[in-house]
Amino acid sequence: MKRGPFVLAVVVVFVIVGVMSVPAAVRLAADWYWFSSLGYQSVFLTTLWTKVLLGVGAALFAFAFFYVNLRFAQRGVVPDPVVVNINAKTPKVDITRLLRLLALPVSAFLALLVGVSASSAWLVLQQFLKRTPFGEIDPAFGRDIGYYFFELPAYTVAIALILSLTVLTLFMVAPLYLVRGDVVLRGRSMTIEPSAERHIGVLVAVLFLATALNLVMVRMPSLLFSSAGAVHGASYTDLTARLPVLWASVVVAVVGAVLVLWGMRAHRLPRFLMIAVALYLVVGVIGGVYPAAIQKFVVGPNELARESKFIQRHIDATRAAWGIDDVEIRVLTGEAELTLDDIRANSGTVRNIRLWDRALLLQTFGQLQEIRTYYDFVSVDDDRYIINGELRQVLLSPRELNSAALPTRNFINEYLTYTHGMGLTMSPVNQVTPEGLPVLFIQDLPPVSSASIAVTRPEIYYGELSNSYVFVNTEQAEFDYPLGDSIATTVYDGTGGVYVNSFLRKVLFSVRFGQSKIFLSQDINNDSRVLYHRNIRERASKALPFLMWDDDPYMVVTKDGRLKWILDAYTRGTKYPYSQPRSGGINYFRNSIKAVIDAYDGSIEAYIADPDDPVIQTYAKIFPDLFHPLDEMGDDLLAHIRYPDDLFRAQTELYATYHMKEPATFYPREDQWQIPVVARGEGIRDPYLRHMVMKLPGELQEEFIIMTPFTPQGKDNLAAWMVVRNDGEHYGQLIVYRFPRQSLVFGPTQIVNRINQDTEVSRQITLWDQAGSEVIRGNLLVIPIEEALLFVQALYLRAEGGRIPELKRVIVAFENQVVMEETLERSLSRLFGGTIEGGTLPALAIESPVAGEAPAAGVAATNPAIAGLIRQAQDHYQRALDAQRIGDWATYGDEIEQVGALLRRLRELAGRR
């Protein structure tokens, strides 16, 4: 057989591979420029050289393993070669010779696949080399927890590689020997040529020994992640039955290797191989039957007693792995009363009650402040600012550019002219205009502020919606913001992006983005920059690909007026012994990194938020100088960091079960809690998980916290509520406020039912429905004040065919009382029998009579009963006017009658004085 066609085929294959690798090379070059622009070359280079070394090393080892075995199997002359004659006009083909020629390309191809696969384990290798001990020992085998995080994955990959290469080689070598006639099958007998027998015997022995190694190094440690027992982790059955069976399997695997080698030496390989395989299968069958019998007849009848020790390990490990082992518990009396004095004493809490639901506020912002169709508000975030010397909770939303909504979409508009969003809208959480719309602290274009917050750099080049590349500093004027009938333009003055200052770079980015106009454009000059990977989640994930990122980045206005994004990142693991896994098998979770991305220049700064986390310590060793201590973030940004929702959500869901620390209580779930659910709006996620500014019971001042309530499993009354603190030295502190189990404290579902049954609320909603308006109920807010709970729900009204929800009523409930008024102040006044002045509860003080005021006013100010009657009369009169406007004369008559009755009662009270 001539080698010419074969060599030509090999050359063609390599040319095709080379052509196919061009896009990868282009992406690699573009990535290098991108990482360099961020100053993250260490991430790019460390990742690249580790992948190359690991991939090349594995590929060379695999190539040597495959090629040596294939060549060894094809040594010598074949006395009776297999010849194929396709037809009479073509020469005969010697199959054995063809297979010999294929040994090199087949080995190279398979080695390439192995190398590519192995390169993906680059982080496993780096973590193994730079591993950090946890300083905690697993209770079963006495190893440091770090072994399971950093060493076990490396051993798993290495042993899997050996097993795969050996099995694949056997599958190639055995047919070769059959084709060559070195292995002959005659009925039930098998004849093997001595050298072939030795070759196959060695490979099978290696397979047995690798299996034994896998059992010891991988399978046994993995018992600590078993889910076969009462809880996750190694159970009584695992350690008393499965572990001995695994050791027996190890012994049998080693014996099997010895039997195979002995059979090879005695030229009786088939018989000894069958004995070895049979022994291993017998142990395998025992390994299935024996643990099942132990579980059924020993553990099952007395599971709690047998598993108690292992349940305790599971509880302790889960609490430690998920960071709920140091939750502070504060017990409440469950009998607290709430008075107007308490409201005054907690004025900061009441002043920051969030009346605006984020989803509804997002709709309102969209209608009032998008200003142009190509602007979008993507999300609304909670934060707190010192405004005019006072801690205020606000809701804010960046105004981002949506290039898909441009009136004219072409290359110049999408990539050169319309390049960025502009500013943000900020609103206090509970202030409302007379029309029922939110008060705006920051609004319009360019941003105008009515509070002590100024935005000096409002351009948003990097955001949640930015999903394409753009060019700045081109010959085209760059749009900044609309200015009446014209537009304002700008010149980019940041350091973000990559210069397109050469012919080669133009070619590179034309290929990278699949856009020939980049190369042909005369508008892109040597001063131009290309900004890409502008979506902040994608940007952060690409810069730090070994971290898991939170779903909810949020924007901060710095003291110097710049806009910056804060993103939370997590280190996680799936190998924490005995810990309960959640989605994706994750059973260890830490918010170890807080990243800051500048919305103007795209710079990324990563700060270590949990320096005690061994995983982030390992990453810091792998990438020196990449991370900064949190205190280097600066007070400006530190004042706005918040505990991530995803972590708090996971911790509260787990704590509902794992607050039970004793196996005797945990096993029957005797004190199981749950997070309350809502009957309406099944799509609402965590309706009671809230950010709020409040003064915690026993504390001296208001602070920013996240809170969620708990109810007993299957019941509606409250069992406890949990908060995580966000400010200063208390950041990350978890506190649970528990009610006594014998007390009855109304939960959210019970309060919702009371609101639904309230005749005044029902009448008003019916009235609005009859007028054709859409009534929208806000989420019920659970507001802790001192040791009591206040419930607040806003009612919004959207006119028929309208798009803007307006806040019209505020419902406040406490214990058995439910009131509804136009404002929170009025609802509180009515509920607690006093007068609270001011549209935003600035002082929460009852105004005292002053000289010269009318006697009636003085009486009202000093007599809460009279003040309450006056307020009720005003409310009924207002409802009468509302009914009159829509022609509802029946309701109008009822309300006027109520006004008359209240006036008569006022006359009686005034006569008594």
Side-chain angles (χ1 to χ4, degrees):
M1 181 178 178
K2 297 182 178 180
R3 292 179 178 267
F6 174 76
V7 173
L8 179 62
V10 172
V11 171
V12 170
V13 170
F14 274 100
V15 169
I16 293 173
V17 171
V19 171
M20 292 176 62
S21 65
V22 169
V26 168
R27 283 195 299 271
L28 195 66
D31 284 349
W32 166 248
Y33 286 128
W34 185 82
F35 278 98
S36 298
S37 71
L38 284 174
Y40 276 45
Q41 297 95 323
S42 64
V43 176
F44 180 87
L45 292 174
T46 300
T47 303
L48 181 62
W49 74 255
T50 308
K51 284 184 174 182
V52 169
L53 288 180
L54 186 59
V56 170
L60 289 176
F61 177 76
F63 174 78
F65 195 89
F66 290 137
Y67 189 66
V68 168
N69 278 281
L70 289 175
R71 292 297 295 172
F72 185 84
Q74 298 176 88
R75 70 201 180 285
V77 178
V78 180
D80 188 17
V82 177
V83 178
V84 176
N85 189 4
I86 299 175
N87 56 58
K89 296 182 180 180
T90 58
K92 296 179 179 180
V93 177
D94 185 345
I95 297 298
T96 54
R97 185 171 181 177
L98 177 62
L99 291 175
R100 181 177 298 175
L101 291 174
L102 287 175
L104 178 63
V106 167
S107 298
F109 176 73
L110 293 176
L112 178 64
L113 296 181
V114 170
V116 171
S117 177
S119 68
S120 63
W122 70 272
L123 188 58
V124 172
L125 175 61
Q126 283 287 357
Q127 287 180 318
F128 176 78
L129 296 175
K130 305 293 177 62
R131 59 190 180 273
T132 303
F134 271 61
E136 301 172 15
I137 305 300
D138 86 78
F141 300 124
R143 296 188 179 103
D144 186 90
I145 303 298
Y147 171 87
Y148 302 96
F149 273 68
F150 308 127
E151 296 184 49
L152 181 58
Y155 299 149
T156 303
V157 170
I159 295 172
L161 176 64
I162 295 172
L163 286 169
S164 301
L165 295 182
T166 306
V167 170
L168 193 56
T169 301
L170 275 170
F171 274 109
M172 291 189 293
V173 166
L176 271 177
Y177 281 127
L178 282 170
V179 171
R180 289 171 53 88
D182 294 325
V183 176
V184 179
L185 300 175
R186 292 188 179 91
R188 291 186 171 184
S189 64
M190 177 188 298
T191 303
I192 306 178
E193 190 271 333
S195 63
E197 188 175 32
R198 288 193 295 271
H199 188 192
I200 294 174
V202 169
L203 287 175
V204 173
V206 169
L207 184 61
F208 270 113
L209 292 175
T211 300
L213 189 64
N214 184 62
L215 290 169
V216 174
M217 302 296 291
V218 177
R219 289 283 303 279
M220 290 182 187
S222 297
L223 287 176
L224 298 183
F225 320 119
S226 168
S227 58
V231 292
H232 193 80
S235 63
Y236 178 90
T237 301
D238 289 323
L239 296 183
T240 60
R242 289 190 177 88
L243 183 60
V245 168
L246 287 176
W247 275 116
S249 299
V250 171
V251 172
V252 170
V254 173
V255 169
V258 173
L259 286 173
V260 167
L261 293 175
W262 182 266
M264 175 190 73
R265 182 181 179 85
H267 301 296
R268 301 175 68 181
L269 177 62
R271 176 174 297 182
F272 281 86
L273 177 59
M274 291 177 62
I275 294 172
V277 172
L279 285 174
Y280 196 80
L281 290 176
V282 168
V283 174
V285 172
I286 295 173
V289 175
Y290 178 59
I294 293 294
Q295 180 68 32
K296 182 174 182 179
F297 298 110
V298 178
V299 177
N302 197 15
E303 189 171 40
L304 178 57
R306 295 289 185 184
E307 299 282 19
S308 182
K309 177 174 67 174
F310 307 102
I311 293 174
Q312 188 65 63
R313 293 176 180 178
H314 170 75
I315 295 171
D316 295 341
T318 301
R319 288 169 61 90
W322 289 95
I324 54 176
D325 54 336
D326 57 353
V327 175
E328 180 181 347
I329 298 175
R330 300 181 184 179
V331 180
L332 303 173
T333 63
E335 300 175 354
E337 294 294 329
L338 199 57
T339 66
L340 193 60
D341 289 336
D342 295 322
I343 299 294
R344 291 175 183 155
N346 291 270
S347 60
T349 299
V350 179
R351 189 180 298 115
N352 286 287
I353 292 176
R354 197 182 87 186
L355 298 181
W356 284 102
D357 280 2
R358 289 194 291 191
L360 295 175
L361 191 62
L362 183 63
Q363 298 175 27
T364 303
F365 281 171
Q367 293 300 312
L368 299 179
Q369 283 291 304
E370 280 183 1
I371 298 176
R372 292 291 190 271
T373 57
Y374 43 78
Y375 286 125
D376 267 347
F377 292 104
V378 179
S379 63
V380 174
D381 290 304
D382 290 90
D383 205 346
R384 70 283 198 198
Y385 287 81
I386 301 296
I387 297 177
N388 301 325
E390 180 184 352
L391 181 64
R392 296 295 300 276
Q393 184 176 349
V394 299
L395 294 165
L396 59 89
S397 184
R399 185 185 293 103
E400 300 197 47
L401 181 75
N402 182 2
S403 58
L406 289 172
T408 303
R409 298 186 63 186
N410 53 46
F411 177 76
I412 291 177
N413 278 351
E414 289 191 56
Y415 303 109
L416 276 65
T417 303
Y418 292 88
T419 58
H420 59 275
M422 172 60 64
L424 74 159
T425 299
M426 179 185 290
S427 171
V429 293
N430 70 336
Q431 284 186 253
V432 186
T433 67
E435 295 80 19
L437 301 175
V439 171
L440 300 179
F441 282 164
I442 300 178
Q443 59 183 317
D444 297 340
L445 292 173
V448 176
S449 175
S450 61
S452 53
I453 304 173
V455 180
T456 59
R457 179 58 80 183
E459 299 90 346
I460 302 175
Y461 286 88
Y462 301 85
E464 294 183 87
L465 196 59
S466 308
N467 54 9
S468 65
Y469 61 91
V470 295
F471 291 86
V472 295
N473 296 342
T474 66
E475 299 297 333
Q476 283 290 329
E478 187 181 344
F479 171 82
D480 200 21
Y481 57 87
L483 193 63
D485 294 332
S486 61
I487 62 170
T489 59
T490 187
V491 175
Y492 184 71
D493 191 32
T495 58
V498 176
Y499 277 112
V500 191
N501 53 6
S502 69
F503 172 81
L504 288 178
R505 290 197 181 188
K506 267 197 167 186
V507 173
L508 172 70
F509 289 114
S510 293
V511 177
R512 172 64 182 85
F513 300 122
Q515 178 57 270
S516 60
K517 292 180 181 178
I518 296 174
F519 174 72
L520 299 173
S521 174
Q522 299 298 314
D523 293 317
I524 300 174
N525 55 45
N526 288 341
D527 293 324
S528 300
R529 294 171 178 259
V530 58
L531 281 56
Y532 51 111
H533 299 308
R534 296 191 304 132
N535 181 283
I536 55 173
R537 288 194 194 87
E538 176 200 352
R539 189 174 185 82
S541 297
K542 189 168 186 65
L544 302 168
F546 42 85
L547 298 173
M548 178 179 179
W549 294 90
D550 191 82
D551 290 333
D552 189 20
Y554 52 100
M555 177 169 279
V556 171
V557 183
T558 65
K559 289 181 180 178
D560 60 359
R562 294 183 73 93
L563 303 181
K564 296 193 176 185
W565 296 95
I566 297 181
L567 295 85
D568 288 289
Y570 306 101
T571 52
R572 76 281 191 195
T574 60
K575 301 296 183 183
Y576 197 103
Y578 281 100
S579 175
Q580 178 65 34
R582 287 172 56 83
S583 176
I586 295 172
N587 67 357
Y588 175 86
F589 210 53
R590 290 291 185 272
N591 174 217
S592 296
I593 293 295
K594 292 191 179 292
V596 178
I597 300 181
D598 192 294
Y600 188 69
D601 62 30
S603 60
I604 304 176
E605 298 291 339
Y607 300 92
I608 297 179
D610 187 355
D612 297 328
D613 173 30
V615 180
I616 201 62
Q617 292 175 14
T618 299
Y619 289 150
K621 293 176 185 177
I622 298 172
F623 304 103
D625 305 322
L626 184 63
F627 304 109
H628 310 285
L630 189 61
D631 54 14
E632 291 185 8
M633 181 183 282
D635 295 339
D636 189 11
L637 290 173
L638 279 173
H640 294 283
I641 63 172
R642 72 186 192 196
Y643 202 77
D645 290 358
D646 286 351
L647 177 56
F648 185 63
R649 185 178 296 112
Q651 289 175 321
T652 53
E653 290 174 0
L654 285 165
Y655 194 79
T657 300
Y658 290 89
H659 69 276
M660 298 177 285
K661 296 188 287 186
E662 300 298 329
T665 306
F666 181 91
Y667 179 77
R669 302 295 196 269
E670 192 269 335
D671 191 24
Q672 177 75 41
W673 295 347
Q674 66 180 16
I675 297 173
V677 296
V678 289
R680 64 178 185 85
E682 294 181 0
I684 299 175
R685 186 183 187 189
D686 305 318
Y688 302 114
L689 189 150
R690 285 287 178 271
H691 299 82
M692 61 180 72
V693 170
M694 66 167 290
K695 184 169 69 174
L696 292 170
E699 302 297 331
L700 299 178
Q701 62 183 19
E702 290 78 18
E703 57 187 291
F704 192 61
I705 60 101
I706 312 177
M707 177 262 192
T708 196
F710 294 109
T711 63
Q713 182 73 40
K715 296 183 180 179
D716 294 331
N717 59 289
L718 278 185
W721 48 280
M722 187 177 193
V723 302
V724 60
R725 305 173 79 174
N726 285 258
D727 293 339
E729 63 181 0
H730 299 298
Y731 174 85
Q733 182 184 6
L734 294 165
I735 305 175
V736 168
Y737 292 88
R738 290 195 64 159
F739 296 104
R741 294 184 65 181
Q742 67 273 15
S743 65
L744 177 62
V745 179
F746 290 137
T749 302
Q750 293 166 320
I751 294 297
V752 168
N753 291 336
R754 289 186 176 276
I755 292 173
N756 291 338
Q757 294 166 5
D758 186 82
T759 55
E760 182 182 354
V761 174
S762 300
R763 185 188 305 117
Q764 184 63 66
I765 292 176
T766 301
L767 185 64
W768 280 329
D769 285 338
Q770 290 174 349
S773 299
E774 179 187 2
V775 179
I776 304 171
R777 294 193 179 197
N779 290 328
L780 184 69
L781 307 178
V782 184
I783 312 295
I785 297 180
E786 299 299 341
E787 292 197 3
L789 292 175
L790 194 68
F791 295 86
V792 178
Q793 184 177 47
L795 291 184
Y796 309 88
L797 199 62
R798 183 156 46 204
E800 186 175 7
R803 296 184 179 181
I804 302 178
E806 300 174 1
L807 198 156
K808 289 300 185 183
R809 295 288 188 273
V810 178
I811 301 171
V812 178
F814 176 66
E815 294 184 341
N816 293 319
Q817 300 171 281
V818 176
V819 298
M820 181 180 70
E821 296 294 340
E822 293 181 357
T823 65
L824 175 63
E825 296 87 342
R826 291 186 181 182
S827 292
L828 291 171
S829 298
R830 181 175 164 192
L831 185 62
F832 296 107
T835 303
I836 300 177
E837 301 293 342
T840 59
L841 298 163
L844 287 174
I846 297 177
E847 189 178 78
S848 301
V850 297
E853 72 178 342
V859 170
T862 57
N863 190 325
I866 292 179
L869 290 174
I870 292 174
R871 176 68 65 188
Q872 292 179 48
Q874 291 173 336
D875 293 338
H876 284 291
Y877 179 68
Q878 183 61 47
R879 294 191 191 102
L881 293 179
D882 292 340
Q884 184 185 39
R885 292 191 191 101
I886 64 173
D888 185 357
W889 299 108
T891 302
Y892 174 80
D894 293 339
E895 296 296 337
I896 290 297
E897 287 183 7
Q898 292 290 337
V899 172
L902 288 167
L903 290 176
R904 287 192 293 273
R905 290 179 60 190
L906 279 169
R907 191 178 300 114
E908 294 173 1
L909 286 174
R912 294 174 187 172
R913 293 180 62 88

